Amino acid sequence: GLEGKGIHGILPGGEVVHGIPVFRLIYDELGWGWLFAAHDVPVLREAIEAGYYLFAVNRLRLTGRGGDDDTIRQILEARRLSAAVAAPDAASDC
């Protein structure tokens, strides 16, 4: 699933992009693509990606909504279980 991968976007052709590239696409569309020039430098890219990951994982706590984290995880788990029941593994049909 997409949960746990941070922000994601779906391009018109159906391709799914994750993380910083989503912001780059949005900012390019707004004419602010220059903000991501640092992301083109390999060493800085690694630092930016690591910083984004740390923020994405901790965003609810950092924004004062830490209690929402457990609720969201419970909802996602319930959806995952519901999907597994609705569409059991094809291998089990054999």
Side-chain angles (χ1 to χ4, degrees):
L2 294 174
E3 63 275 357
K5 293 189 179 189
I7 191 169
H8 64 278
I10 303 172
L11 301 179
E15 179 186 0
V16 178
V17 292
H18 304 276
I20 297 292
V22 174
F23 294 107
R24 177 181 284 264
L25 290 167
I26 292 168
Y27 279 50
D28 280 346
E29 194 67 28
L30 295 172
W32 301 343
W34 57 270
L35 289 171
F36 284 92
H39 192 257
D40 293 333
V41 178
V43 174
L44 295 178
R45 178 182 302 127
E46 292 175 23
I48 292 167
E49 295 280 347
Y52 169 74
Y53 174 78
L54 289 173
F55 172 76
V57 169
N58 296 294
R59 68 188 175 277
L60 293 175
R61 274 181 293 208
L62 292 171
T63 58
R65 299 176 295 153
D68 293 346
D69 196 35
D70 289 333
T71 303
I72 291 170
R73 289 182 194 283
Q74 290 170 357
I75 291 168
L76 290 174
E77 179 65 11
R79 287 181 184 172
R80 186 188 67 76
L81 292 173
S82 177
V85 169
D89 188 353
S92 66
D93 292 341
C94 297

